[in-house]
Amino acid sequence: MHADRLLPAQIAPEGYAALRAVEAYIHKCGLPRGLIELVKMRASQINGCAYCLDVHSRDARKHGESEQRLYLLDAWRESPLYSLAERAALAWTEALTNIAATRAPDADYEELKKQFTDKEIADLTILIGMINVWNRLAIGMRYVHDVS
């Protein structure tokens, strides 16, 4: 990976290590890996982060996600391919990624509570915040994804 601007891991290694520690927590918190990758993909779609979309589409496929579900993710509301829990998580992802406009609606939170425990909701919210941080680093520093 390279960046057209800065590489935070080199410029601010302690800060970058702290972000990696949060990422490590997310991967061991108990949320299903497939759900984690769908959330990362959806936030990255909204934010327009090519680097993160490349990374997380590869990770999603590596963990068993189908091409069809990845292709339809942007239109998940119109597709029967996503479970109730995934739908609640994707709605929450959209609400928090667009928080200035949505203000995290009560209706989205209520749907989330039907599908997830309080800890899972907290972990999901940490996950959404984290992918938004990664998107901002990648877009802001102009990370360039590999071409294969």
Side-chain angles (χ1 to χ4, degrees), residues 88-106:
L90 291 169
W92 193 237
T93 301
E94 291 178 358
L96 296 186
T97 300
N98 295 311
I99 197 152
T102 69
R103 312 307 298 165
D106 290 338

Side-chain angles (χ1 to χ4, degrees), residues 33-108:
R33 185 62 188 259
L35 180 65
I36 290 171
E37 296 306 331
L38 286 178
V39 164
K40 288 180 176 185
M41 286 284 301
R42 185 65 193 118
S44 298
Q45 286 175 331
I46 293 166
N47 290 321
C49 185
Y51 179 83
C52 293
L53 285 166
D54 182 63
V55 168
H56 297 299
S57 64
R58 292 171 193 261
D59 288 348
R61 285 191 301 272
K62 193 182 327 176
H63 289 91
E65 194 55 69
S66 74
E67 295 291 321
Q68 185 181 29
R69 281 171 40 99
L70 292 178
Y71 296 148
L72 293 171
L73 185 57
D74 189 40
W76 64 269
R77 292 178 192 275
E78 289 79 39
S79 175
L81 294 176
Y82 305 94
S83 70
L84 292 175
E86 289 168 336
R87 290 174 179 285
L90 291 169
W92 193 237
T93 301
E94 291 178 358
L96 296 186
T97 300
N98 295 311
I99 197 152
T102 69
R103 312 307 298 165
D106 290 338
D108 288 347

Side-chain angles (χ1 to χ4, degrees), residues 116-127:
F116 295 97
T117 66
D118 288 349
K119 181 184 182 305
E120 290 169 331
I121 292 169
D123 289 339
L124 186 59
T125 303
I126 292 166
L127 163 61

